[in-house]
Amino acid sequence: MTTVAAPALPVENAVEDALMRSIRIPPRPSLLVDLQRELAKADPSPRNMARIIGNDVGMSGALLKLANSPFFGAARKAKSVEQAINFLGVDMCASTLTGLLARRAIDGQGADLSAFWEISMRRAQALMFTSRKLRIAPADIAHTFGLFCDIGVPLLMDRFADYAATYDDACDEPVRRFTEIEDERYSTNHAAIGCLLARNWGLSPDVSWAILLHHDYRVLDDPATDDAVRSLVALTLLAEKGIARFFGRTLSHEWEKGGALACQHLGLTEDEAADLLDELNEAFHNER
């Protein structure tokens, strides 16, 4: 796949390569390796997956919560881990568990990341919801992308003491790309770091590419970029707009930068996008 927007990874010069190696990217957890090995089989077994998860209360609870949430829309309630896996499907189950493992691998670095994980969860819910509504991306891929979209942020916070201020500056930037602000100060950005983690953890290539490109809205109008990647980038703009509304924020610079291109790619009129965001907001409130 080629794009007009992004440099190839890994980075090419020695200074940038040394910087990238100085950022702690957690290794792929052994439990994820076991899950991916099961998923690679011709007929993955929900029973085997439930056995891999074992007595992990956090993982069991996360699966049951998702299986019984309005974002999944199941008419029945899952009462066991194996039942939740059957309701969700093995791929969606793997997405949820991968996100939880990422949180465990990154938490404990000193910063309070509760708000970050809350936004990541909301983004994953929104991407799953909109992908189902528009029928343009597999729900498990959209969910995984939502969870890992900004996973480079806490890794850069751990590496650079002033990163929180840089993040705020990039959020407040009305014109330039978010990642340009990071690149100027650190010669890398959270999208590149997140892409490396996604690759190291064996996530879908569509997810890793979408992570790399999710602030470069030129790709939405670039036929050389894979359509599945462009769809994920467009969906995350809708998600961010919906999350901003849910938390009472009226302005979204990212939507102003790329919202029109996202709607164009998704085939949505302005009114249709507004209606979809209304439905998403209702789902957010029903999930509480």
Side-chain angles (χ1 to χ4, degrees):
M1 184 185 73
T2 59
T3 80
V4 300
L9 290 181
V11 291
E12 296 177 354
N13 69 61
V15 173
E16 290 181 350
D17 184 57
L19 172 63
M20 297 291 269
R21 284 189 278 107
S22 75
I23 295 171
R24 189 187 76 85
I25 296 180
R28 177 163 38 171
S30 59
L31 193 151
L32 179 58
V33 174
D34 292 341
L35 283 172
Q36 290 173 336
R37 186 179 297 118
E38 180 63 32
L39 287 168
K41 294 180 179 178
D43 186 20
S45 165
R47 181 164 296 179
N48 287 346
M49 292 184 69
R51 189 177 300 116
I52 291 168
I53 297 166
N55 296 319
D56 193 305
V57 175
M59 289 192 172
S60 301
L63 284 181
L64 288 165
K65 183 176 181 180
L66 180 62
N68 295 328
S69 78
F71 288 93
F72 186 69
R76 298 171 295 169
K77 295 293 183 182
K79 298 178 180 178
S80 69
V81 172
E82 187 172 347
Q83 202 170 56
I85 295 171
N86 281 314
F87 286 1
L88 291 169
V90 293
D91 291 327
M92 182 61 73
C93 167
S95 171
T96 304
L97 297 178
T98 305
L100 185 59
L101 289 168
R103 179 167 185 167
R104 288 183 178 178
I106 291 170
D107 268 344
Q109 296 180 352
D112 180 3
L113 297 176
S114 55
F116 171 81
W117 297 119
E118 167 75 4
I119 295 296
S120 295
M121 179 195 71
R122 294 291 178 189
R123 186 188 302 109
Q125 291 172 334
L127 279 156
M128 180 174 64
F129 181 86
T130 53
S131 70
R132 286 179 181 276
K133 285 286 184 179
L134 299 176
R135 299 180 180 180
I136 60 169
D140 61 288
I141 295 294
H143 186 264
T144 302
F145 172 58
L147 290 173
F148 281 82
C149 182
D150 280 348
I151 201 71
V153 167
L155 300 179
L156 287 177
M157 287 179 66
D158 184 55
R159 174 63 178 81
F160 300 106
D162 65 343
Y163 180 76
T166 297
Y167 182 86
D168 289 341
D169 289 345
C171 286
D172 292 336
E173 169 55 48
V175 178
R176 299 168 66 206
R177 289 197 304 277
F178 192 110
T179 50
E180 281 186 39
I181 311 301
E182 298 171 309
D183 285 331
E184 279 185 356
R185 300 183 188 181
Y186 310 121
S187 298
T188 190
N189 61 71
H190 77 280
I193 299 300
C195 176
L196 285 177
L197 184 144
R199 292 178 176 185
N200 288 349
W201 282 34
L203 303 187
S204 159
D206 286 347
V207 169
S208 59
W209 274 105
I211 292 171
L212 181 65
L213 299 171
H214 75 276
H215 281 293
D216 194 339
Y217 307 130
R218 294 175 297 176
V219 300
L220 294 172
D221 197 30
D222 172 27
T225 301
D226 191 279
D227 187 68
V229 173
R230 289 192 288 162
S231 293
L232 291 174
V233 174
L235 286 175
T236 198
L237 276 161
L238 274 176
E240 297 299 341
K241 178 72 168 174
I243 291 168
R245 174 178 171 180
F246 179 70
F247 286 106
R249 300 193 298 270
T250 57
L251 179 64
S252 170
H253 285 311
E254 296 306 304
W255 181 257
E256 295 299 320
K257 295 174 192 176
L261 284 172
C263 289
Q264 178 182 309
H265 177 76
L266 297 172
L268 294 173
T269 66
E270 186 176 337
D271 288 343
E272 288 169 339
D275 289 343
L276 184 57
L277 289 169
D278 284 342
E279 291 182 52
L280 175 60
N281 191 58
E282 182 179 354
F284 275 148
H285 283 283
N286 289 339
E287 196 267 342
R288 279 181 158 179

